[in-house]
Amino acid sequence: MSEPANPSGRTGDTGDTGNPHTQGAPDIADAPDVTWTEEVRSPARSRRGGAPGGGGAASGAAPTSGPVPAPLTYTAHWHSESGLPAPRRVIVADDRTKAAVAYRLACEGTALLWRGDYQGARQLLRALGSRLDRLAPKPGATPAETFHRHRQARGHRARVLGMLLVVLEDDHSLALRRAPDVRAACTEAYGPPRRRTVVSLRELLGVIGAHEWRRKGVPVPAVGGSIHPHYGVFSPVRGEYVDLVAAAPLPAAVHGAPADATAFDLGTGTGVLAAVLARRGLGRTVATDSSPRALACARDNVERLGIGDRVQVMDSGDLYPEGRAALVVCNPPWLPARPTSAVEQGVYDPDSAMLRAFLDGLAGHLQPGGEGWLILSDLAEHLGLRTRDALDEAFAAAGLRVVDRLDAKPRHPRASDASDPLHTARAAEVTSLWRLAPAT
């Protein structure tokens, strides 16, 4: 889903739509190491610098006599949630590093390991972003071409900004001047600390932001409380799709005895739609996902909302759980394009694979009088990535008919942002809840 913010902390920087169905943390057991060399500074020269290479001489300090120590080589584990490879060349940067020099090096593929002031690193990252923003691609001849150029530009931006690195110590702490305590945030995102690790500052900022969203939660009136998204799981800040599920008429199989009805929520993510169904009185909802992060997040939210007796969260395996349901809800990724990293798999659905799996299995998993609710944006149609005819043909091929369709206009800021390269498509976007039933 297009989000006005990035509460999930994901760093693929696509700026496009997706759903809560996301991947778990990459296994870093076999990840490569990052090696860099730092000069050894005397106490007088490092008094302001804190870490080696981190800040220049203290004001008025006299040079230390004697031989200059040889530079030391350091090694730490590499970790990237975006699946970026470990940089081949790493140099140390600090508060003396000029933005123009950093930009040139990053564009050339040289990573800069920051050993100066934490706030200085953030300022440098913003300066790099400003330079990249000046390189906005020209519109293509078609909406699809504009979209692909936009993705290429965002991918380049992510790679360049990902070249500014920081070291997490073996307890997940950040040994930089004026650095916040990031240990809790990193433990939530990466798991318990195991070793000294190098990550991009951009990713770390996403981890910190996700920690705040998880702590505060996102108010969702339709569930009578707040949803607390975990790192790597899309947050339900875009509420129109939630409101559609809260307002759609329940199928005939539920009428009269909702407490006895079973529902499936496929690709549950934060568990928000399962919570909506429980709020509407359904007695049992099986919420599935394949992402360990999403499963943990959904279980957390189910317990927070006190609906653990009505919502069962489980690994989906092949998308559907066993058995049949009176209602099956699915909110697949909305754009049929190839993800370029693991974190984009909740945004892009190659060849509409999850959408087709939902449609193809629906008739065989519905009870008599049951319905499948497909929540889908038509943004892909406005971008020239899928046609409405193709969607209708997919319904027919799966032996389904459309009972009804409920529509909602997006309320997120990008829908009205004329500076967005995809503004024309976003302004025309409609999110729909398709009520589907077996054709016969």
Side-chain angles (χ1 to χ4, degrees):
M1 290 159 281
S2 283
E3 307 293 355
N6 189 20
S8 64
R10 296 170 62 195
T11 56
D13 200 13
T14 61
D16 296 305
T17 58
N19 82 321
H21 189 80
T22 59
Q23 299 300 303
D27 184 357
I28 64 172
D30 299 320
D33 289 335
V34 173
T35 301
W36 70 96
T37 301
E38 296 184 22
E39 61 181 281
V40 179
R41 296 182 179 273
S42 66
R45 291 185 57 83
S46 63
R47 192 174 299 147
R48 291 179 61 195
S59 175
T64 302
S65 61
V68 178
L72 295 179
T73 298
Y74 298 85
T75 298
H77 215 65
W78 169 250
H79 183 80
S80 171
E81 291 287 325
S82 300
L84 295 174
R88 295 183 178 180
R89 184 167 184 259
V90 180
I91 66 171
V92 172
D94 57 32
D95 302 290
R96 300 165 296 178
T97 304
K98 302 297 184 183
V101 174
Y103 179 71
R104 174 178 58 80
L105 291 171
C107 288
E108 293 172 353
T110 297
L112 298 100
L113 186 110
W114 188 262
R115 303 298 270 163
D117 178 77
Y118 173 77
Q119 298 302 331
R122 296 192 62 177
Q123 291 174 6
L124 178 58
L125 191 67
R126 286 193 292 269
L128 296 178
S130 296
R131 283 168 165 78
L132 290 162
D133 289 341
R134 300 169 194 162
L135 305 176
K138 296 181 180 179
T142 65
E145 184 179 349
T146 298
F147 167 73
H148 290 302
R149 288 185 179 182
H150 174 67
R151 281 201 76 196
Q152 289 174 351
R154 300 302 286 183
H156 173 70
R157 188 179 194 276
R159 286 190 294 274
V160 173
L161 295 182
M163 288 293 175
L164 184 56
L165 313 178
V166 294
V167 178
L168 296 174
E169 303 300 329
D170 56 11
D171 62 349
H172 279 335
S173 65
L174 193 60
L176 298 176
R177 296 191 311 277
R178 294 200 292 170
D181 186 348
V182 301
R183 289 174 296 178
C186 290
T187 298
E188 288 176 354
Y190 302 140
R194 290 183 278 176
R195 68 201 82 184
R196 206 177 191 212
T197 304
V198 172
V199 299
S200 78
L201 174 62
R202 185 166 176 269
E203 176 173 306
L204 179 61
L205 293 176
V207 167
I208 295 170
H211 172 68
E212 290 303 308
W213 279 91
R214 178 172 175 173
R215 181 177 65 84
K216 296 177 181 178
V218 179
V220 180
V223 304
S226 294
I227 293 292
H228 295 257
H230 290 197
Y231 179 81
V233 185
F234 271 98
S235 169
V237 293
R238 183 168 168 175
E240 67 268 12
Y241 79 98
V242 177
D243 293 341
L244 286 172
V245 174
L250 293 172
V254 178
H255 289 170
D260 297 330
T262 294
F264 296 161
D265 174 23
L266 310 181
T268 192
T270 61
V272 62
L273 297 185
V276 171
L277 297 179
R279 176 84 170 177
R280 297 196 63 182
L282 276 80
R284 177 174 179 261
T285 298
V286 181
T288 72
D289 211 297
S290 61
S291 161
R293 280 180 173 153
L295 293 169
C297 181
R299 291 184 179 118
D300 178 32
N301 284 306
V302 163
E303 292 304 316
R304 286 176 182 267
L305 293 169
I307 53 175
D309 58 334
R310 287 172 286 161
V311 177
Q312 176 188 2
V313 180
M314 61 180 291
D315 192 325
S316 62
D318 294 328
L319 189 62
Y320 279 91
E322 294 183 0
R324 295 174 179 264
L327 176 61
V328 179
V329 176
C330 185
N331 178 25
W334 290 347
L335 295 178
R338 183 179 63 85
T340 58
S341 65
V343 297
E344 287 192 345
Q345 293 180 9
V347 178
Y348 300 105
D349 186 14
D351 197 31
S352 300
M354 183 177 175
L355 169 62
R356 294 181 182 279
F358 163 69
L359 296 176
D360 292 344
L362 181 58
H365 285 87
L366 283 178
Q367 297 173 356
E371 292 180 4
W373 289 359
L374 171 65
I375 299 95
L376 195 66
S377 160
D378 66 355
L379 182 62
E381 298 172 22
H382 297 294
L383 292 174
L385 305 178
R386 180 173 54 224
T387 66
R388 179 57 57 89
D389 287 344
L391 184 61
D392 291 338
E393 290 169 3
F395 292 160
L400 302 170
R401 62 183 175 88
V402 177
V403 177
D404 193 10
R405 191 187 79 211
L406 287 74
D407 296 334
K409 288 290 294 182
R411 300 190 294 266
H412 61 86
R414 283 181 177 169
S416 56
D417 182 4
S419 66
D420 190 315
L422 306 179
H423 170 67
T424 300
R426 294 194 196 280
E429 180 187 6
V430 172
T431 302
S432 299
L433 185 152
W434 297 82
R435 296 175 57 201
L436 305 171
T440 56

